[in-house]
Amino acid sequence: MIGVTAESAPLRDASEVADFARNSFRPSAGDRVGVELEFLVFDRTDVTGQVPVSRVERALPARLPGGSKVTFEPGGQLELSGPAGSLPLMLTALAADVAAVRDALDAEGLALAGVGLDPVRPARRQLTLPRYDAMAEFLGRPYGALMMCSTASIQVNLDLGDRPAARWERAHALGPMLLAAFANSPLSDGRPSGWMSGRQAVWDNLDPTRTVPVPRTGDPAADWAEYLLDARLMLVREGDDHYRTIRDGSTFRDWLDGAGPRRPTAEDLAYHATTVFPPVRPRGWLEIRYLDAQHPSAWPVCAAVTYALVTDDRAADTAMAAVEPHRQAWEAAARCGLADSRIGRAAETCFRAALEALPRLGADAALAGAVAAFADRHVTTGRSPAADLTLEGLL
């Protein structure tokens, strides 16, 4: 079943998985936020055609003013990963980079589109790295290909603070409400898909041992350790440029219990953790992964509201009470968005709490105004961004 990976001491037993998980939840003194933005790229003269990564790379500025890192996803989605910092500094730096990239692409006839699922083009992979080859084999079609090549998201990364368990719980409980509020992927193959967040629908059809939320019993580290142990092995690294796809359904626990020709190592465990994709993933900070990509002018609202409701204790207390009856309503949030009246009412309360918190977090009047305008347009009316999305408006 298992090949050979980088050399290190074999793991003795599940206690070392528990140690790894505890290290993922170490308290931190800061309240930094970092954001990773994924965008689809379209040719304005041919929205049905795939834009080669090489063409996008040629169009990009040689240097971004805010210091963001530029990478590409397997289907050619462009990702900007901004430097972590305080909310105001992070937003300023990343907004400058988004503007620079958007202007550069526009000059070459390309459009930077913030949407969670490609509305018109079929899934087609551009990057052929060994890891992606193995992932594609494991995840299969159509949903694996769609996830890798056609989806785009906003990932909000948050410091754990001095009470990691509280932020962990908040990030999960708020998930359906935030998913609904920022649902922005209603189209597939040029037609309505029946989902406000078609991107989330794609994720729901992948291997559940690595995509469902981590069960929560009150001990985040123990819960994360169990999740890692029970997730199926996707692929095993056999060198810097080779990965073996595992298709027999075995889990990391099976490997640790002796199912392979050798015992797994710490490197194997760390790599396995990069192949599981729950809606919230701990990595010494929290990765919030359930948010659809937003229009290039709207992503700061998404980042600011998420940050405020998870990190500000007063806002979080109000928001947690509002979402308590709906904390498991992931499917309703993805399918209906804010049109689900229960989630919509909770969102109104949560956005008010976020607006009250933003001045305490250093946000300026412009950001608060943008959040208020988003709430007036979408939350108060019960219309997620997806409800108003058209291909013309996207570009």
Side-chain angles (χ1 to χ4, degrees):
M1 177 186 74
I2 306 299
V4 178
T5 63
E7 293 182 3
S8 72
L11 298 176
R12 296 186 306 273
D13 52 39
S15 68
E16 293 190 83
V17 180
D19 291 341
F20 175 89
R22 276 192 294 273
N23 285 332
S24 300
F25 282 98
R26 288 189 181 278
S28 59
D31 280 323
R32 296 174 305 162
V33 55
V35 173
E36 300 174 25
L37 301 175
E38 293 175 348
F39 295 102
L40 303 178
V41 180
F42 288 89
D43 185 326
R44 292 185 179 278
T45 64
D46 179 16
V47 297
T48 63
Q50 188 177 52
V51 179
V53 166
S54 58
R55 181 181 174 192
V56 179
E57 289 179 317
R58 288 194 300 271
L60 289 172
R63 177 182 173 277
L64 294 180
S68 294
K69 179 181 178 182
V70 179
T71 55
F72 291 90
E73 293 297 306
Q77 307 97 309
L78 185 149
E79 180 176 305
L80 295 176
S81 301
S86 68
L87 180 67
L89 290 177
M90 181 279 297
L91 290 176
T92 298
L94 189 51
D97 290 346
V98 171
V101 168
R102 196 178 183 191
D103 289 347
L105 295 188
D106 186 65
E108 298 298 325
L110 301 176
L112 198 65
V115 61
L117 180 67
D118 197 309
V120 290
R121 298 176 298 192
R124 185 174 302 143
R125 189 154 59 96
Q126 295 199 52
L127 303 186
T128 56
L129 300 176
R131 171 181 164 97
Y132 294 149
D133 292 343
M135 284 181 64
E137 181 184 349
F138 179 91
L139 294 170
R141 301 186 70 91
Y143 296 106
L146 284 169
M147 183 277 283
M148 294 177 67
C149 303
S150 300
T151 61
S153 69
I154 292 179
Q155 181 172 300
V156 180
N157 301 318
L158 303 176
D159 275 339
L160 286 160
D162 57 7
R163 293 193 298 146
R167 291 190 178 181
W168 173 250
E169 186 62 28
R170 293 167 185 173
H172 283 90
L174 294 165
M177 183 278 299
L178 289 169
L179 170 61
F182 297 103
N184 191 38
S185 46
L187 305 175
S188 181
D189 294 326
R191 301 183 300 273
S193 67
W195 297 82
M196 290 289 98
S197 178
R199 179 201 57 81
Q200 185 62 39
V202 168
W203 279 98
D204 287 346
N205 280 281
L206 298 175
D207 172 22
T209 74
R210 61 186 2 91
T211 59
V212 299
V214 177
R216 298 179 306 289
T217 67
D219 186 340
D223 295 337
W224 180 228
E226 289 298 302
Y227 193 93
L228 290 172
L229 286 164
D230 291 333
R232 294 171 57 203
L233 290 165
M234 174 187 285
L235 49 104
V236 171
R237 201 160 153 181
E238 297 187 321
D240 291 340
D241 59 355
H242 184 66
Y243 298 79
R244 179 190 292 260
T245 306
I246 307 301
R247 300 301 301 269
D248 61 7
S250 57
T251 66
F252 196 87
R253 190 188 303 274
D254 294 330
W255 190 6
L256 193 61
D257 288 343
R262 65 170 181 84
R263 297 191 66 78
T265 66
E267 284 83 355
D268 293 320
L269 173 59
Y271 189 75
H272 174 64
T274 72
T275 73
V276 299
F277 312 109
V280 185
R281 186 168 67 177
R283 298 189 63 189
W285 62 90
L286 292 184
E287 293 181 344
I288 295 176
R289 305 172 55 86
Y290 46 68
L291 299 161
D292 279 1
Q294 302 293 303
H295 189 276
S297 65
W299 68 264
V301 173
C302 180
V305 170
T306 302
Y307 176 77
L309 295 180
V310 176
T311 65
D312 185 89
D313 290 341
R314 287 164 58 185
D317 287 346
T318 299
M320 290 289 280
V323 302
E324 176 60 33
H326 322 301
R327 56 169 58 207
Q328 302 298 330
W330 292 94
E331 182 175 350
R335 187 178 292 278
C336 303
L338 293 174
D340 184 301
S341 59
R342 304 164 304 157
I343 298 174
R345 286 191 296 271
E348 289 191 72
T349 300
C350 292
F351 270 70
R352 285 195 297 270
L355 277 166
E356 292 172 3
L358 286 175
R360 298 193 291 269
L361 300 172
D364 60 19
L367 178 60
V371 172
F374 183 97
D376 287 343
R377 179 175 180 178
H378 297 293
V379 181
T380 302
T381 62
R383 292 178 64 82
S384 304
D388 299 325
L389 186 69
T390 63
L391 187 58
E392 293 75 13
L394 177 67
L395 303 182

